[in-house]
Structure formats: C-alpha cells, structure tokens
Amino acid sequence: MDWEASMKEAVSGGDEVEAARIADAALEKGVAPGDILEKGAVPGIYEAGRLWREGTFFLPDIILAAEAFKEVFVKVEPLLKSGDIAYKGKVVIGTVQGDAHDIGKNLVIAMLRCASYEVVDLGVDVAPYAFVKAACEHEACVLGMGAYMTTTMRVMEEVIRLLDEAGLKKRLKVVVGGAAVTRAYAEWLGADGYGEDAVRAVEVIDALLGWSR
Amino acid sequence: MSLPQPLGTQLRVMKYLFKGIALGRGLKVRNPGGFERLVAAIYGTPDRVPILAQPYTYAMSMHGLEASVFFSKARPFIGASFNFARYFDIDFWSPVFDFYNIEAEALGQRLIWRKHSEPDVDTSQPLIKSEDDLKRLRPPVPGVSGRMPFVLESYKRYIELMGIPPMVYACSPFTMAVLLRGYVNFIRDIRRNPRFAHRLLDFLSMEVVVPWIEKMVETTTASIVVMSDAWASQPNVTTDMVREFCLPYIEKIVKATNSSLRTVVDTGSWGECSVGDPREVLDIKYEMITRGNFFKSLRPLFLLVWNEDYEKIGIVTARRYAEEKSVCLMLNVRPNLIEEGPPEAIVSAMRKIIREGAGRGKFVIIMNLIPVASPLENVFTVVESVKQFGSYPISDEIETIPFRPPAFMPFSDWFRREGLPLD
C-alpha cells in the first residue's frame, strides 16, 4: 500500500500513532508537507465523515479520526511554507469561560482544517476579552465560540458586547455552537451563524464567507 | 422521649412511605407532604404531580455565596438549599453538590474552582495518564479523603433539618473513568486496550464506589442511592460500549450494595434523540435502573428523560415506554426556559408537559438546573403551574384553565423573616 492510502486508513481508523509514523516516513522521503495533508490526512478524515453519514461510524470513531488528523497536522504545520495551502480564511475558536469541555470544539477544528481553514485554537475556559483580543491580533474573519453548559453560554453575550464595543462585530462573522446553545439563542444573541454539529459548522462558515457552491 | 437517631429516622421514613403508598393507591391521606406525594407518584397516582428541584448554584447565588464555600461547607450548603426549597415551596429536594467530582477528587484528581459556578475536573490534567498510574493509585479513605467529609456532614445536616435521609449520590464508574483518563484516552482504551479499560472500571467500582456508598449509607441510612452517568450518553458512546463497559459494573455495584430496604440505581444519561430508534437508548436506561435490583416492582425506580430528548422524540413516546415498563417517568423543565421565560411561555410549556406526561400517575417533574440569572418569577411560575394544572385526574380542559400568576415576597424580605441562618 502506498503512503497516501496508508495515511488515509490510519486517519479514518483513528490510529494517531500510525498516522504520525507515516507522516514522519513520508517527510523523510521528501514528500511535501502540504501533500501529506492534502493527499493523506484530509482524504482520511473525509472517509471517516463518509462512514459517519452512512451510519457505519459513531461519534467516538469520528473523534478518534479527528485526533489522528490533529497529530499529523501538528507535525506538518510548522513545515508548511506560505502558499503551500490556499486557506479560505482564518478562524479563531474557543470554549467560553467557565466551561472546560473541548471535545466538540476539537472536532470542529479538525473539520475546519480539513476544509482548508487556518485555525487559531484558544482552548477552553476562554475569557471574553481574550476572544476579542485574539480575533483582533490574528485578523480573523470568523470567531467561533462553544458552550456546553447552560450555566456558561451566557458568556457569549459578553463577548458580543465587547466585539461591538471594539468595532469588530461588523468586520468578522461570529459562529456559535455547543450542546447548550440553540438556534433560537444564537439568533437572539445576534450571532451570524449557528453550528448544530461540527459538519454543519463548517458549512455555515463556508456560506458566510461565500465559499458555498 | 425521642428514639435513637437512626431508628427514629427510619421509622419516620417508614411512616411516610406507607402514607405515600396509600395515597398512590387512591386512599385518602390528609394533607400529604411533598415526600409522601413523591412516593405516591413513584408507586401510583398522587393528589397532584410532584415538583422536585435541585437547588444547586441557584440557591448559592440567591444567598450570595461563593462556590468555594457552597461546595465545601455543609452548613451554608444545606442551609441555602433548604431555604431555596422552602421559599419556592418545592415538594422534595435532595442535597445536590458536584457529585461527579467527589470520588475523583478523593483519588487525587485536580479540579478547577471558579467563583460563581461548580468546580470542574481539569480535563487537561487527567489523573491516570498511563497504565502505570493505575498501578500506583490508592483508593480513597471513604469519608476522609478529599471533600468526602463535607458530603457526609451535609447529609447529617439534611437529616437534622428534614427528619428523613436524603437520596445519596455517587459517580458511576464509567463516567469516573472518563473524568480520570480524559474522554479521548478512555475511548482509545476501549478500542485498543479493553483489558486495561476493564481493570480500571473494576478498580473504580469495587475499591472506590462500593466503599463510598457503604460509608454514605452507614452515615445516613439512606434508602435510595443514585449513580449518575453523564458520559454514558449517546452519542458520546455507542450503545454497544455501554453494554460492555458500563452495565456490568453497575450490576456489580448494585449487587454489592443494595438490600431489600435499599435501592441503588444508575439513572443513566441521555441521547434518545441522537439514535434512529429512541427505544434503543430507553432500553439501555431501563437496564441501568434495573440491573442487579431484585423485586423490581417494589423498588422506587424512575426513568429520567431530559428536555433535549423529549422535545425531539416527543413526551408521548417517553410516557408510553414508562407505562410499558411500569416505571415512574421523570421529566425536567428546560433550564433555558426558566431563565428566559417569559412566564406565558413557561405556563404553556408546563401545560404541555403535564398534558402529555402526567397520565394517570407515576410521573414527576424536576427542575434539575435553574440558571443563576433566572428571575424568581419564572421559578415560581413553574411551581405554580404544576400546582394549578397538575391535580389528578388531569383536566381535559388544561389548555383553557386560567393561570393565576404567583404572588411572592422578595427573597431578601423572606430570608429576613423566615430564612435559616447559614452559619
């Protein structure tokens, strides 16, 4: 089996150790870092998505596939030269203050990276001001916020208020999601988009930035 | 002459149980209390649907307490929860702390503490990073390690105030394993190293949970022990994973700790709406509450279905399932609705919950979480709706029964006049 097929299988099968090993071996052979993502890791995560849609894969399988993709991405990203990947845009993303859940956010990040978005991961328990500061510093075109508890989702209101105050609200798109957040709340909040799940979040961002076909 | 405390408490519980069961069987019981109403609802048809609540962070916020006090000092914790229940006239409440964290913290897991919300396990620093960590791990000393003394003191204070033992809580081994290993690591264990996953679950079940339940029961004489299992929810895990890695350990724990007078259950989790056939998850949840329990029909079993699920699968589906299995159905009120209101929307939602869920009994409504920003009026509206629409037999005209808005005193005034001091 060639390295592309092996990588695809390792990523879709959620084997992060094997995926990283194949990435190392391919780099050693002189494969371009961008190709490692484009020809191996991305097809792997798309395969996982396909198996999910047909009902063969369950959420844990998708999460393990996303983790394997992340392992390859972390290895390859520092080696990418400007122009290796034509990014669609930059997304700053995090879980709101008081909330330590990161599974959903990590899944969205993996999907965004597969869809050629540059992602700045702020992690969990992110203070409102830190969202605004990072969006400004990184010149993001999308700010993503996740809340997984009803007790924490209200923090999003503070972030929106600070974005407004900083004059950023009109310059970037705000997309929210997470188990606690509903479409109605997202609309009430004044968010530009609501990601019902990780796949939908990418579709929403594509649509907001004009990448939908 | 007063009886020795445990015996006196147990006799009192027996009296309430008999009265509650009599009420549930249609016998006339004068002025039933909230606990008797709950018992009647579990076994049959009460005078009206009981309304339960978990005071939790809402009680903390009403009293201006910080999380570091509320979740670690028995008197303010129980005092604030008690005041909450009396102020809103809740039928029954249990002292609910951050029950997923107690055993994990006692084992040495780091928590993140914040000022205004419950502590959380620091998932970036899982206690068990490798198989070797499990070999090094020593079980907690029940009642001594971590905040276990706070839990026991809280239960004792509850008994002093309420005269009956509380429902006591434990974290299920499956959810504890996820908290101690991290979700992704534990899923990897299940897939690639199932023997280690089983070893970990066995350790948590038999050396952590069982001794802790025994200690809580010894201290309180509690007759109901509830294990909670958020991480055993769909779609976080598959139903196959639950069958192999969750249910057998629930059974082991139940068999080791229950008795004819004590019921130990795992109230399961959620996820009916995330699978093609909701029965797949309902069946799992039914197994979670019944596994290991003999004389099922005599047990105070209840099937909890959360709003995220019943709003999608329909209350009627949950009701039918509960009736088929002859268990009490418990539905929560959507927390965001309590926070956002308006009262008219709450009244409308409560009419629907009662109309579709109450049936001929075996039905309970719970406010499991009241977001701290919820207006008092909204909480009173939930309670009043149940009181005004929830009397059995449920009226066919429930939609047209006018709702009388609740009259209430500001909490600060009530607290000055009737509140229990917190120190």
Side-chain angles (χ1 to χ4, degrees):
Chain A
M1 204 188 296
D2 54 21
W3 74 265
E4 290 98 328
S6 305
M7 170 81 82
K8 181 180 169 185
E9 192 177 295
V11 170
S12 64
D15 189 340
E16 79 290 355
V17 178
E18 180 64 4
R21 193 196 61 74
I22 297 166
D24 279 336
L27 285 170
E28 200 136 300
K29 276 188 194 163
V31 177
D35 284 349
I36 290 179
L37 289 180
E38 211 171 297
K39 295 179 180 170
V42 170
I45 202 93
Y46 280 153
E47 174 64 3
R50 189 186 68 75
L51 292 168
W52 159 262
R53 277 191 298 277
E54 75 172 31
T56 310
F57 264 23
F58 296 94
L59 188 66
D61 305 295
I62 289 285
I63 285 168
L64 292 185
E67 289 291 319
F69 175 86
K70 187 171 143 192
E71 205 68 31
V72 176
F73 187 85
V74 166
K75 203 169 269 297
V76 166
E77 191 194 24
L79 308 172
L80 291 172
K81 292 191 209 94
S82 150
D84 273 357
I85 298 180
Y87 287 118
K88 290 178 181 171
K90 193 184 276 187
V91 182
V92 163
I93 189 169
T95 303
V96 298
Q97 192 166 48
D99 202 324
H101 296 84
D102 63 357
I103 295 162
K105 171 186 68 69
N106 291 347
L107 201 52
V108 173
I109 289 173
M111 294 299 175
L112 283 169
R113 283 179 174 151
C114 285
S116 300
Y117 282 97
E118 190 176 2
V119 182
V120 179
D121 180 8
L122 303 180
V124 298
D125 200 7
V126 180
Y129 178 67
F131 274 110
V132 180
K133 189 165 170 265
C136 198
E137 274 175 14
H138 293 281
E139 297 179 349
C141 49
V142 176
L143 175 69
M145 288 187 279
Y148 303 86
M149 303 192 295
T150 46
T151 45
T152 59
M153 71 175 194
R154 293 288 178 194
V155 176
M156 291 177 173
E157 293 162 31
E158 176 66 359
V159 179
I160 298 272
R161 192 185 65 75
L162 290 173
L163 285 173
D164 250 341
E165 264 182 28
L168 287 169
K169 181 69 179 70
K170 286 180 188 152
R171 279 187 15 218
L172 54 69
K173 304 291 182 191
V174 177
V175 178
V176 297
V181 181
T182 59
R183 184 179 300 281
Y185 178 69
E187 280 167 13
W188 176 85
L189 185 69
D192 300 288
Y194 165 65
E196 200 177 337
D197 56 40
V199 175
R200 186 79 191 118
V202 177
E203 288 171 3
V204 166
I205 291 172
D206 273 347
L208 287 171
L209 300 185
W211 290 105
S212 298
R213 275 177 290 177
Chain B
M1 191 182 81
S2 65
L3 291 160
Q5 183 62 30
L7 184 58
T9 306
Q10 281 186 321
L11 287 176
R12 206 172 298 119
V13 171
M14 295 302 279
K15 188 180 90 181
Y16 291 149
L17 272 174
F18 283 127
K19 276 179 77 178
I21 291 169
L23 177 65
R25 296 278 179 243
L27 297 173
K28 202 159 183 69
V29 172
R30 224 178 274 169
N31 302 323
F35 181 63
E36 290 141 321
R37 183 169 293 122
L38 171 64
V39 172
I42 288 173
Y43 290 104
T45 312
D47 54 339
R48 72 157 162 80
V49 174
I51 173 79
L52 276 55
Q54 300 190 152
Y56 210 50
T57 43
Y58 195 71
M60 176 179 93
S61 163
M62 285 170 79
H63 291 79
L65 294 169
E66 290 188 5
S68 58
V69 173
F70 186 78
F71 289 107
S72 65
K73 296 197 185 322
R75 290 185 82 86
F77 166 62
I78 292 294
S81 304
F82 178 78
N83 283 337
F84 160 95
R86 279 205 307 155
Y87 177 63
F88 289 113
D89 196 19
I90 301 295
D91 282 318
F92 185 73
W93 64 284
S94 257
V96 175
F97 41 86
D98 54 320
F99 48 73
Y100 285 116
N101 301 336
I102 300 301
E103 298 92 330
E105 186 187 25
L107 279 162
Q109 173 63 52
R110 207 178 87 87
L111 301 185
I112 300 170
W113 284 83
R114 304 183 193 90
K115 210 168 172 182
H116 300 299
S117 60
E118 69 275 34
D120 251 337
V121 162
D122 183 353
T123 50
S124 69
Q125 298 290 332
L127 183 69
I128 304 173
K129 294 186 178 69
S130 67
E131 284 196 61
D132 285 345
D133 285 344
L134 177 58
K135 287 179 200 152
R136 282 191 285 270
L137 207 56
R138 294 283 159 269
V141 181
V144 175
S145 305
R147 280 183 296 143
M148 286 175 166
F150 152 71
V151 172
L152 297 184
E153 282 309 308
S154 298
Y155 288 156
K156 285 183 198 162
R157 180 71 178 138
Y158 179 94
I159 296 169
E160 273 172 31
L161 292 172
M162 303 292 291
I164 53 173
M167 267 200 270
V168 303
Y169 295 91
C171 179
S172 88
F174 188 90
T175 290
M176 207 189 315
V178 171
L179 294 175
L180 296 170
R181 275 292 278 147
Y183 171 77
V184 172
N185 289 336
F186 193 57
I187 294 296
R188 280 182 187 138
D189 295 337
I190 285 175
R191 286 283 156 83
R192 293 184 208 154
N193 194 355
R195 286 176 65 179
F196 171 64
H198 281 299
R199 239 185 7 258
L200 173 59
L201 289 164
D202 202 55
F203 167 78
L204 297 176
S205 301
M206 304 316 286
E207 297 193 50
V208 180
V209 180
V210 166
W212 177 222
I213 288 178
E214 281 170 348
K215 185 72 190 176
M216 289 192 288
V217 166
E218 178 195 311
T219 307
T220 62
T221 67
S223 51
I224 303 182
V225 180
V226 172
M227 286 188 283
S228 293
D229 225 341
W231 277 105
S233 300
Q234 282 67 39
N236 294 342
V237 293
T238 65
T239 47
D240 287 345
M241 285 176 176
V242 178
R243 289 193 190 286
E244 183 178 348
F245 293 92
C246 182
L247 289 173
Y249 296 96
I250 292 171
E251 188 171 357
K252 268 179 123 166
I253 293 170
V254 171
K255 283 185 171 164
T257 54
N258 81 353
S259 69
S260 49
L261 292 175
R262 182 184 322 119
T263 300
V264 183
V265 293
D266 187 316
T267 52
S269 43
W270 60 85
E272 287 88 344
C273 72
S274 65
V275 293
D277 177 5
R279 283 188 72 96
E280 203 185 332
V281 173
L282 288 167
D283 283 344
I284 285 269
K285 284 166 75 163
Y286 181 70
E287 278 203 61
M288 282 170 142
I289 56 174
T290 52
R291 270 277 180 116
N293 277 308
F294 51 91
F295 300 135
K296 292 182 184 55
S297 60
L298 300 176
R299 302 272 177 189
L301 302 176
F302 52 92
L303 179 74
L304 254 166
V305 181
W306 302 107
N307 64 284
E308 289 88 347
D309 292 308
Y310 72 66
E311 284 167 3
K312 289 191 180 144
I313 66 165
I315 293 172
V316 173
T317 304
R319 174 81 220 171
R320 272 197 206 120
Y321 187 89
E323 275 173 5
E324 182 190 315
K325 299 291 183 187
S326 197
V327 290
C328 172
L329 174 66
M330 191 183 288
L331 301 181
N332 74 322
V333 181
R334 178 155 55 87
N336 293 353
L337 177 68
I338 307 175
E339 183 177 20
E340 291 162 12
E344 300 74 42
I346 295 174
V347 170
S348 165
M350 297 309 296
R351 278 194 171 110
K352 182 176 165 67
I353 290 173
I354 294 168
R355 188 184 65 237
E356 295 182 5
R360 292 180 186 161
K362 292 201 170 191
F363 180 65
V364 173
I365 297 175
I366 182 167
M367 288 189 279
N368 64 308
L369 178 71
I370 305 173
V372 291
S374 307
L376 297 175
E377 184 189 4
N378 291 2
V379 183
F380 273 114
T381 300
V382 171
V383 177
E384 271 306 310
S385 299
V386 177
K387 288 181 183 171
Q388 292 181 30
F389 306 137
S391 293
Y392 284 102
I394 303 297
S395 168
D396 292 335
E397 313 290 315
I398 193 167
E399 296 299 333
T400 55
I401 299 174
F403 177 70
R404 295 178 307 280
F408 60 92
M409 185 188 298
F411 179 69
S412 51
D413 294 351
W414 179 88
F415 183 68
R416 261 195 306 278
R417 286 168 51 163
E418 298 179 43
L420 182 76
L422 301 186
D423 44 19

